[in-house]
Amino acid sequence: MSLSMSADAFAASIGRGASRRPTFPAALKGGLVFGAVEAITPLIGWALGLAAAGFVTAVDHWIAFTLLGLVGGKMVWEGFQSQEGEDDASTGSSPWTLVATAVGTSIDAAAVGVSLALLDTNIILIALSIGLATFAMTTIGMMIGKAVGVRFGKVVEALGGIALIGLGCSILVEHLDLFP
């Protein structure tokens, strides 16, 4: 479950690594942010699941769709912008963009937390496992993105944005049962 929960963060981190070309310490920092958010969200989902499972599951897909669509759209937009005179400070590398991406990719972990509230599970162990797997996969993804980005840069950033938009759409379609 930990690896499947971190797969979308891995995909997002490849795009982020391609566009930002982080150093290894910066990739570790990104991994920590993604891992922490991914570890916290199942705990939040579990707590909400105990209190109001119906409401959380009614809106989680819209939250994920909106966040991933906005971040992905920004990545696509930046992927088509000129590279002249750009540096890492001008490519939207704010901490808030990192957190928004981490939250957008972790909404599914909150939904898992809601469902785990109905089972007799050790939510702390599960949350830590998900967080550690996400930390590792995101750090690795950013370094892969950096290596790919040196050669393909803006194209990979745009593709990463398209992947995030697709992920958001997939979550929405799945939750709305548009194609049974």
Side-chain angles (χ1 to χ4, degrees), residues 6 9 19-20 35-36 44 62 78-79 84 94 109 111 121 127 131 152 169 179:
S6 58
S19 65
R20 310 297 184 261
I44 293 170
W62 288 107
E78 289 175 356
E84 291 182 29
S94 80
T121 60
F152 300 105
C169 290
F179 300 105

Side-chain angles (χ1 to χ4, degrees), residues 154-172:
K154 293 290 189 173
V155 173
V156 173
E157 182 175 14
L159 290 174
I162 291 168
L164 287 181
I165 293 168
L167 179 63
C169 290
S170 172
I171 290 169
L172 186 64

